[in-house]
Amino acid sequence: MSIIMEQIKRTKIKDILASAEYEKTVNVKGWVRTRRGNKFVNFIALNDGSSIHNLQIVADVTQFDEELIKRITTGSAISVNGTLKESAGKGQSVEIQATEIEVVGDCNADEYPLQPKKHSLEFLREIAHLRFRTNTFGAIARVRHAMIFAVHSFFSEKGFLNIHTPIITASDAEGAGEMFKVTTMDINNAPKTEEGDVDYSKDFFGKATNLTVSGQLEGELAALAMSEIYTFGPTFRAENSNTTRHLAEFWMIEPEMAFYDLDDNMDLAEEFTKYLLNYALENCMEDLEFLSKRLQEEEKGKKAADQSMELIEKLRFVVDNDYIRLTYTEAIDILMQSKPHKKGKFQYELKGFGSDLQSEHERYLVEKHFKKPVILTDYPMSIKAFYMKQSDDGKTVKAMDVLFPQIGEIIGGSQREESYDKLLERMRAMDLPEEEMSWYLDTRKFGSVPHSGFGLGFERLMLFVTGMGNIRDVIPFPRTPNNAEF
RNA sequence: UCCUUCUUAGCUCAGCUGGUUAGAGCACCUGACUGUUAAUCAGGGGGUCCUAGGUUCAAGUCCUAGAGAGGGAGCCA
């Protein structure tokens, strides 16, 4: 039996909670978190995703059909007409006194996996299609949206153009890791060349293609005409990485700026990340407060020394302090002088100039020595990509890595090599196919200028802003080795 | 890919040096309660102890292999 309800325009719960128009008749729609009460009065906690906070619906049970009330279970979707009231109970300022309730979508309580209790993140990962309905993942979804919006507003305010770079690419010279192949050929029956290799000339694009690992090279092409651009798109790495900070499919922001040297690049990276964190503080406070409490709850059992700084305090701390800038060589010196090195406490030996820093070394610098974000520059040429600008010392390149506490490398970037000869020389030394990359080299031939850029891993930013520990929890549907569910 | 830990009810977990019929809290069902706050109280149903072998009089517990998950490392954003 369906009840025809009076048609009232729906109001979002966020707006109801901020309203003081008592006695006004309103309609709300959403999903039930819990229902409790007795024979005479029931309280329904309703959430529609617009806020971390639930709206309390008060139903005088004697006014409603008993069968209807029974169908209002955790997870069910309902539409409520009622009167906005100042709450008679503690715990909320406003509530809705229901006059009409319709169950829009039933939810079998026996089968519904979400309960009004704390679930483990691992369990929720297995039911990622439903985890939006929890406080934690609702908060993360709202913060994620705010951060996406802030990225665009930051660059737009500064006159940067958003460029859509290709997702399918034929370039395999970017050196950013293993790639996913893109093909329309039948892999069990692929056309072969006379030598017996797969004949990609018969494939859809007439050559071997992959999913992009970076939009940087195309971004540079745009920057060397439009001056300042950024990309913000999906990125794919087929590395067999099983960590709390790697995904096979993730979103990356890559600004690229003509006439920027490495210092300008660092200035932008610092201003950008601070803008994003500040945007979260100004626009997502309720969600951040919830996430902060969640984190403290989770870390209750830990020793005081192992507990992280309170989330909101941590974000303010980064926004209010200058990032430390130092060269790779200076970092090695500091590490050589450090207690853990002298006492042999590092698990990996410090090898000195020419070897890459282990993450335990980076973490020591950021979390123990400086206790704030650190930008490391001027890395040895041998451990960095071919396109980075070579320094006059002949040993280092104008590279920069921005390291954040807890999550490590959040940004990797550099000033780009603008000299045609030096770039070509480096490509030959690294055995890169110069024919295929001629379009990239052309930019250094025709009006080349100094330019710089960097890549910011969006989900790593999300880890930092939300205080979550696993990157699989800050993207709605994570793709990792052995997992492409949903 | 390597190292390491884990897998027991729908969920979170306990189950000791192998020993009777495998437990708790929450959830679910039934009942009580006129303002609850993850409501509370009483009762009830619910198990392939991850899978396959093995040791033993006896295996949730020990051994081997496999699967899945967590954490750390490498690669990086």
Side-chain angles (χ1 to χ4, degrees):
Chain A
M1 144 186 110
S2 72
I3 304 152
I4 308 299
M5 288 188 21
E6 191 190 344
Q7 292 297 307
I8 302 169
K9 193 172 155 49
R10 177 193 184 197
T11 307
K12 288 290 207 70
I13 286 172
K14 183 186 182 181
D15 299 323
I16 298 269
L17 292 173
S19 169
E21 289 183 70
Y22 304 127
E23 305 308 321
K24 189 183 176 187
T25 301
V26 296
N27 169 268
V28 290
K29 294 175 165 66
W31 291 265
V32 174
R33 289 293 175 81
T34 63
R35 175 171 63 85
R36 52 182 174 262
N38 52 48
K39 227 183 269 177
F40 303 93
V41 61
N42 265 211
F43 303 94
I44 302 159
L46 195 68
N47 192 283
D48 65 0
S50 62
S51 167
I52 185 82
H53 299 298
N54 300 326
L55 177 63
Q56 173 151 291
I57 309 296
V58 184
D60 181 350
V61 179
T62 57
Q63 303 291 305
F64 292 92
D65 178 17
E66 192 184 336
E67 286 308 306
L68 175 82
I69 294 290
K70 270 190 171 172
R71 288 169 59 203
I72 304 170
T73 57
T74 298
S76 61
I78 62 172
S79 174
V80 179
N81 287 345
T83 313
L84 184 66
K85 298 272 191 190
E86 191 167 7
S87 181
K90 286 175 188 167
Q92 60 280 317
S93 56
V94 299
E95 63 191 22
I96 303 292
Q97 184 70 47
T99 52
E100 291 181 279
I101 300 177
E102 182 194 353
V103 176
V104 180
D106 288 281
C107 182
N108 185 334
D110 237 2
E111 292 173 42
Y112 190 57
L114 288 173
Q115 300 157 23
K117 63 167 261 187
K118 193 172 156 50
H119 287 289
S120 69
L121 295 173
E122 290 84 0
F123 172 66
L124 293 172
R125 235 169 262 156
E126 289 170 20
I127 51 163
H129 56 304
L130 296 171
R131 66 180 181 171
F132 288 111
R133 298 180 180 204
T134 64
N135 288 330
T136 300
F137 287 92
I140 292 167
R142 283 184 296 272
V143 172
R144 189 174 165 110
H145 165 78
M147 290 297 93
I148 293 167
F149 190 81
V151 166
H152 289 297
S153 85
F154 174 81
F155 285 121
S156 190
E157 283 167 21
K158 293 185 93 65
F160 283 54
L161 298 190
N162 181 220
I163 300 293
H164 285 161
T165 50
I167 288 168
I168 298 171
T169 168
S171 166
D172 62 353
E174 289 160 42
E178 291 294 311
M179 303 175 99
F180 289 101
K181 291 187 167 62
V182 174
T183 181
T184 54
M185 296 191 298
D186 177 358
I187 54 167
N188 293 315
N189 190 20
K192 299 279 170 66
T193 62
E194 283 176 15
E195 291 81 36
D197 299 326
V198 174
D199 186 0
Y200 285 104
S201 71
K202 301 258 174 30
D203 203 354
F204 186 87
F205 293 106
K207 56 167 81 171
T209 50
N210 303 295
L211 293 178
T212 183
V213 292
S214 165
Q216 181 200 317
L217 301 188
E218 290 90 349
E220 284 187 51
L221 310 181
L224 292 169
M226 313 309 291
S227 288
E228 291 160 324
I229 67 94
Y230 70 104
T231 71
F232 187 175
T235 311
F236 307 89
R237 305 268 167 96
E239 300 287 347
N240 191 6
S241 296
N242 290 290
T243 80
T244 53
R245 46 184 205 288
H246 288 89
L247 291 165
E249 176 182 290
F250 63 101
W251 291 72
M252 186 156 63
I253 298 137
E254 296 182 288
E256 200 66 38
M257 302 76 65
F259 307 107
Y260 273 51
D261 66 13
L262 188 66
D263 286 327
D264 299 325
N265 202 16
M266 285 191 278
D267 289 344
L268 184 76
E270 183 166 343
E271 186 187 350
F272 178 46
T273 44
K274 284 179 172 175
Y275 178 97
L276 296 176
L277 302 184
N278 196 51
Y279 190 94
L281 286 168
E282 285 183 359
N283 294 277
C284 308
M285 195 42 92
E286 290 185 343
D287 288 321
L288 293 180
E289 281 168 354
F290 174 82
L291 291 166
S292 172
K293 262 186 238 153
R294 196 205 70 81
L295 183 62
Q296 286 177 327
E297 196 74 21
E298 189 182 77
E299 294 189 339
K300 244 181 191 167
K302 283 189 176 180
K303 280 182 267 171
D306 292 336
Q307 287 180 7
S308 39
M309 194 190 289
E310 191 277 322
L311 182 64
I312 292 159
E313 191 189 340
K314 178 186 83 175
L315 298 179
R316 290 222 168 91
F317 181 79
V318 171
V319 168
D320 291 342
N321 282 284
D322 289 341
Y323 298 2
I324 299 289
R325 301 182 185 189
L326 75 164
T327 66
Y328 164 91
T329 307
E330 289 164 342
I332 295 273
D333 286 346
I334 289 172
L335 289 166
M336 288 289 184
Q337 301 295 321
S338 70
K339 271 187 195 160
H341 174 65
K342 287 181 173 169
K343 289 185 178 171
K345 289 273 175 65
F346 283 135
Q347 201 178 338
Y348 291 88
E349 196 195 340
L350 263 175
K351 292 211 183 96
F353 188 90
S355 66
D356 215 347
L357 296 175
Q358 301 290 325
S359 60
E360 64 171 339
H361 302 143
E362 294 179 348
R363 291 188 68 152
Y364 173 81
L365 285 174
V366 176
E367 290 166 20
K368 295 272 168 16
H369 190 81
F370 292 113
K371 295 193 169 80
K372 55 176 84 167
V374 170
I375 311 181
L376 286 180
T377 63
D378 300 280
Y379 281 82
M381 195 194 301
S382 56
I383 59 172
K384 288 290 182 183
F386 75 96
Y387 49 72
M388 296 190 177
K389 184 174 171 62
Q390 299 166 33
S391 298
D392 295 336
D393 61 15
K395 292 194 304 189
T396 62
V397 288
K398 296 286 179 200
M400 64 167 200
D401 282 1
V402 181
L403 309 177
F404 266 36
Q406 282 146 38
I407 54 169
E409 186 177 345
I410 193 170
I411 284 178
S414 72
Q415 186 172 339
R416 317 307 190 189
E417 182 56 75
E418 82 268 20
S419 155
Y420 181 87
D421 292 337
K422 282 187 178 171
L423 186 60
L424 187 60
E425 182 195 349
R426 191 81 190 120
M427 284 173 66
R428 284 177 179 163
M430 293 177 82
D431 219 15
L432 296 171
E434 56 181 277
E435 298 279 301
E436 276 178 43
M437 301 282 292
S438 62
W439 50 271
Y440 184 67
L441 281 159
D442 269 359
T443 53
R444 274 61 170 179
K445 218 192 261 179
F446 307 127
S448 188
V449 301
H451 63 289
S452 298
F454 61 80
L456 178 137
F458 186 65
E459 283 75 20
R460 293 210 179 155
L461 172 85
M462 283 296 298
L463 283 178
F464 191 75
V465 175
T466 60
M468 299 297 289
N470 192 318
I471 202 160
R472 292 162 202 182
D473 295 329
V474 296
I475 187 168
F477 303 104
R479 269 77 183 97
T480 52
N482 258 315
N483 179 30
E485 287 298 305
F486 312 107

